[in-house]
Amino acid sequence: MARSFWAGWLFLVPFTWLAQEPSLAVPPNVAVDGVPAIPMKLVSAVAPYGQFRRAQLVAWHPTERRMIVTTTFGSVPQLHEVKFPGGARTQLTYFPDGVSPRPGAVFLPRGEAIVFQKDTAGGGEANQLFRYDAATGALTLLTDGESRNGIPVISRSGRVAYDSTRRDGKDRQLYLLDPRQPDSSTPLAETTGIWAAVDWSADEKSVLATQSMSSSESYLWRIQVPGGEKTLLTPKGERPVMWSAAYFAGGGTAIYALGNFNSESPRVFRLSGAALSPLTPADRPVEAFAPSPDGQRLAVVFDAGASSQLQLLDAKGQALRTPELPAGVISDVSWHPARNEVAFNIAGARSFSDVYSIDIAANRLDRWTFSEMAGGNAETLPDAEIVKWKSFDGLEISGVLYRPPARFEGPRPVIINVHGGPVERERPRAIGRSNYFRNELGIAVIYPNIRGSSGFGRAFEELDNGVLRENAVKDIGALLDWIAAQPGLDAKRVMIAGPSYGGYVALAAAIEYGDRLRGVNPAFGITDFPAFLQTTEVSRQADRNAEYGDPADPKMLAFLTRISPLTSVARLKTPVFIAAGAKDTRVPISQAETLVKALKSQGTPVWYVRFEDAGHQQLTVPTNDFSIYTWVMFVEKFLLSSEGSR
């Protein structure tokens, strides 16, 4: 099964490896160019730090107090059942490539089966819907095996609404399906663009759906069942509004929704007829929420900066008694369909992710999973720090800094890791093998939240849109200035990396600030914006045009061409380590191949790893391990050795 790229790529391992030692064979589904042999001593050294696990909530059983989670026992994530807090995790699925760590999944009303998503394209993100029968363990494919299918939403009687590209391969149209009859799928409504079903009304006469225009603009619609008549529920605000979650309120027609209507940050609203009433204050951003089945309570996750805060509210938005929770980021909030209990994940700097629940009547917190983390003791390492600096225009930028232990004296080398998205966000989190990296080699790691990142208000998110794109790269220049002013950091030993959009930022920074960087690692990265926007998976193109700019506009085309790293490749002299997936439908492999060819022709040092079975930032266990080892050697050669100095 494919893993998240960042689950391993940046988890670095020290040591200077001797070429005469036995080396690791290159996996048969990997092609390398310019990469030295990987000594087996490195493989042995990294192993203890790679022994960690995470558990993530999938779904409550509809009638009993038990749940489905994903976790990994072996080499890939699978669906597991947990029958009580702290209970054993019983494996349900045995796919050779596993399941997604967070598959969309629902139980049928009596708990007799689960409907869930699974990619069948080996990383190509062609999610299909499957039915798992609880009594027999049998698996049944419910979709066509080729199209892209969205998260299933189930009604009280067991009908599923979902989106799919099966009509034309481009638009995400809405469909209805009876999972007990695999061939029963029929269109719900004629739609174009990106649509997704989000909830059923109690009487099953309506489906609540979102229409996404871009990463910052969407609308809520009620769709009649049957017939498909559409009614717009959310008006346009003073600025584009993003509605990211919505539910019918219990058995009624009112709706709870999460959006940034006429505010900088998301709030929970109640929609009743034409009335739109906020239930949470504008000065407390909301990350996620879920209403209880009767609609009388809300579990709301507030953004508390470095961590989350979960608060129970009544239907009018008044705070209810809530037990104290461990510090961390909370996700996947889900109420039990028949019990007054809500479950969620908590992930933080000291643990990857585990599942908890709150029994409302008892005001009791229960922990359902206890995931292992081997290797170095994370409790003995310096805690994550939030650091801030001023960019070129006075805007405050922040990031998460992980320092090495105090026993390392003098200014420490630095690796900057830029997230993708662009609207992703870095917060303190467990970093696995990178604890070995910090603990043994003494390198500091900084994850910046450059402009365009989420979690800092919509104005901040929009500061990199369109022709403002280069300003995000300037935020990295300001970070390099900040590093130079820190006595504990070594400005002469800095390297930059990033996946996807972060790969573009890393490359652009290496071009602009190449004399201040010792190397760059763009993984699955954008190198040519016009070509990327024309070849990314067709159902994504309108959304990406809204974010980056439409190349159909001659002025925008000229701008996108100018800022593309490939255009300025002659200025890219620092060593480059490129990784790419042959099955990547988001950033096609041609983005990497063209850049590699250009770098080789001009003599810039370049290492290239092509993963034949990988999609976008998704690697199998063997290829994930191989990528880590290769990255380690690149860092040692160009960041830490005299060969990387100028």
Side-chain angles (χ1 to χ4, degrees):
M1 164 60 190
R3 282 188 186 173
S4 169
F5 181 74
W6 287 117
W9 188 265
L10 291 179
F11 302 154
L12 313 179
V13 184
F15 290 101
T16 299
W17 308 103
L18 303 178
Q20 65 267 27
E21 293 182 354
S23 60
L24 178 70
V26 177
N29 51 357
V30 175
V32 298
D33 188 351
V35 178
I38 298 171
M40 290 304 298
K41 187 177 179 181
L42 183 153
V43 176
S44 299
V46 73
Y49 284 81
Q51 301 305 308
F52 54 83
R53 206 185 320 271
R54 72 192 73 203
Q56 294 180 296
L57 177 66
V58 174
W60 280 107
H61 189 280
T63 60
E64 301 176 18
R65 193 182 186 234
R66 50 193 174 99
M67 63 175 60
I68 303 299
V69 304
T70 55
T71 193
T72 303
F73 285 89
S75 60
V76 293
Q78 303 282 4
L79 296 180
H80 292 72
E81 182 180 52
V82 184
K83 294 184 177 180
F84 53 85
R89 288 161 278 186
T90 303
Q91 187 167 330
L92 302 181
T93 60
Y94 294 86
F95 292 106
D97 56 349
V99 299
S100 166
R102 300 171 75 172
V106 291
F107 267 99
L108 267 63
R110 297 191 304 274
E112 68 273 27
I114 307 165
V115 177
F116 66 97
Q117 288 176 301
K118 175 179 160 43
D119 181 9
T120 58
E125 300 184 87
N127 282 329
Q128 305 301 315
L129 298 186
F130 286 82
R131 187 188 73 218
Y132 170 88
D133 293 308
T136 64
L139 290 162
T140 302
L141 177 65
L142 301 176
T143 45
D144 62 10
E146 298 177 354
S147 58
R148 293 166 181 262
N149 300 280
I151 294 174
V153 178
I154 198 155
S155 72
R156 295 189 179 188
S157 69
R159 284 191 294 174
V160 164
Y162 67 102
D163 66 87
S164 177
T165 62
R166 84 180 200 193
R167 182 183 63 188
D168 59 10
K170 176 181 179 181
D171 297 310
R172 286 189 171 268
Q173 188 175 1
L174 299 177
Y175 290 82
L176 297 182
L177 167 72
D178 183 345
R180 291 156 290 209
Q181 302 177 38
D183 297 328
S184 64
S185 180
T186 57
L188 168 59
E190 289 291 329
T191 55
T192 57
I194 301 175
W195 289 71
V198 293
D199 200 13
W200 281 86
S201 62
D203 62 9
E204 302 192 25
K205 293 182 179 179
S206 300
V207 167
L208 189 60
T210 58
Q211 178 192 21
S212 177
M213 310 303 291
S214 70
S215 58
S216 61
E217 182 179 7
S218 63
Y219 298 94
L220 293 178
W221 295 78
R222 179 189 286 113
I223 302 181
Q224 181 178 304
V225 180
E229 180 181 346
K230 300 186 288 292
T231 302
L232 179 64
L233 301 176
T234 52
K236 288 191 175 184
E238 297 172 359
R239 299 158 65 187
V241 180
M242 181 66 186
W243 297 98
S244 56
Y247 305 88
F248 283 104
T253 58
I255 293 167
Y256 293 118
L258 178 61
N260 55 1
F261 180 73
N262 290 346
S263 65
E264 272 295 298
S265 301
R267 291 188 285 172
V268 178
F269 290 84
R270 182 182 175 92
L271 288 73
S272 183
L276 187 63
S277 306
L279 297 180
T280 58
D283 61 352
R284 294 193 69 191
V286 175
E287 298 181 46
F289 86 105
S292 60
D294 61 7
Q296 298 306 302
R297 295 179 179 84
L298 300 172
V300 180
V301 180
F302 290 100
D303 186 338
S307 63
S308 305
Q309 178 185 357
L310 188 144
Q311 176 68 59
L312 299 174
L313 307 177
D314 66 18
K316 295 182 179 180
Q318 300 300 307
L320 301 173
R321 185 176 58 161
T322 307
E324 184 176 352
L325 306 182
V329 175
I330 297 171
S331 62
D332 298 340
V333 182
S334 177
W335 289 82
H336 192 287
R339 293 175 52 85
N340 200 10
E341 187 168 10
V342 62
F344 43 86
N345 307 320
I346 301 180
R350 304 296 194 190
S351 64
F352 280 92
S353 177
D354 273 304
V355 183
Y356 296 75
S357 72
I358 296 174
D359 184 308
I360 306 302
N363 194 40
R364 184 186 70 241
L365 178 70
D366 286 325
R367 183 171 180 174
W368 287 71
T369 63
F370 293 81
S371 297
E372 303 82 353
M373 185 162 67
N377 183 359
E379 298 294 335
T380 66
L381 289 169
D383 204 356
E385 302 174 34
I386 303 298
V387 295
K388 300 179 180 180
W389 61 94
K390 291 292 182 68
S391 194
F392 70 99
D393 55 358
L395 182 69
E396 184 175 76
I397 307 296
S398 64
V400 186
L401 169 62
Y402 299 86
R403 295 184 187 272
R407 69 175 183 274
F408 290 97
E409 299 178 352
R412 306 314 311 157
V414 180
I415 293 179
I416 300 169
N417 296 310
V418 186
H419 67 67
V423 293
E424 293 177 12
R425 179 186 183 185
E426 289 291 352
R427 300 165 94 175
R429 57 186 172 89
I431 55 175
R433 295 179 181 91
S434 284
N435 286 329
Y436 191 112
F437 174 52
R438 299 159 65 200
N439 204 27
E440 301 295 336
L441 204 58
I443 296 177
V445 186
I446 299 176
Y447 297 85
N449 283 310
I450 56 178
R451 67 189 68 203
S453 303
S454 62
F456 304 93
R458 68 161 76 190
F460 190 88
E461 287 185 26
E462 295 169 357
L463 286 175
D464 67 339
N465 288 0
V467 296
L468 302 177
R469 186 65 50 193
E470 292 172 297
N471 291 344
V473 180
K474 294 178 182 179
D475 292 340
I476 299 298
L479 174 56
L480 293 172
D481 294 339
W482 180 85
I483 290 171
Q486 306 305 307
L489 303 178
D490 187 352
K492 294 181 179 180
R493 292 187 293 170
V494 182
M495 186 173 279
I496 190 167
S500 192
Y501 170 75
Y504 154 71
V505 174
L507 281 168
I511 290 169
E512 190 65 29
Y513 311 110
D515 59 340
R516 302 164 71 181
L517 294 166
R518 288 198 176 193
V520 56
N521 170 209
F524 303 84
I526 300 169
T527 66
D528 181 345
F529 274 112
F532 158 70
L533 292 169
Q534 292 166 7
T535 59
T536 191
E537 198 273 321
V538 65
S539 68
R540 304 179 67 249
Q541 289 181 7
D543 176 77
R544 294 299 81 192
N545 286 350
E547 170 68 40
Y548 296 116
D550 190 345
D553 178 346
K555 291 184 179 179
M556 183 55 67
L557 175 61
F559 171 77
L560 291 169
T561 301
R562 181 179 64 78
I563 69 168
S564 294
L566 192 61
T567 300
S568 300
V569 68
R571 297 173 55 201
L572 186 54
K573 301 299 184 182
T574 187
V576 185
F577 174 22
I578 298 174
K583 293 186 177 181
D584 193 340
T585 59
R586 297 194 181 202
V587 182
I589 189 73
S590 57
Q591 292 279 303
E593 303 264 294
T594 306
L595 181 61
V596 169
K597 182 178 179 180
L599 291 171
K600 291 175 68 175
S601 68
Q602 68 187 33
T604 298
V606 56
W607 295 13
Y608 178 42
V609 179
R610 173 182 165 126
F611 301 104
E612 302 295 344
D613 63 348
H616 190 64
Q617 302 184 58
Q618 295 291 314
L619 301 175
T620 63
V621 171
T623 53
N624 188 39
D625 290 343
F626 186 83
S627 72
I628 298 163
Y629 308 145
T630 307
W631 173 233
V632 170
M633 293 188 295
F634 186 84
V635 169
E636 286 204 324
K637 181 178 180 68
F638 297 109
L639 179 64
L640 302 181
S641 74
S642 58
E643 186 171 346
S645 63
R646 291 179 171 80

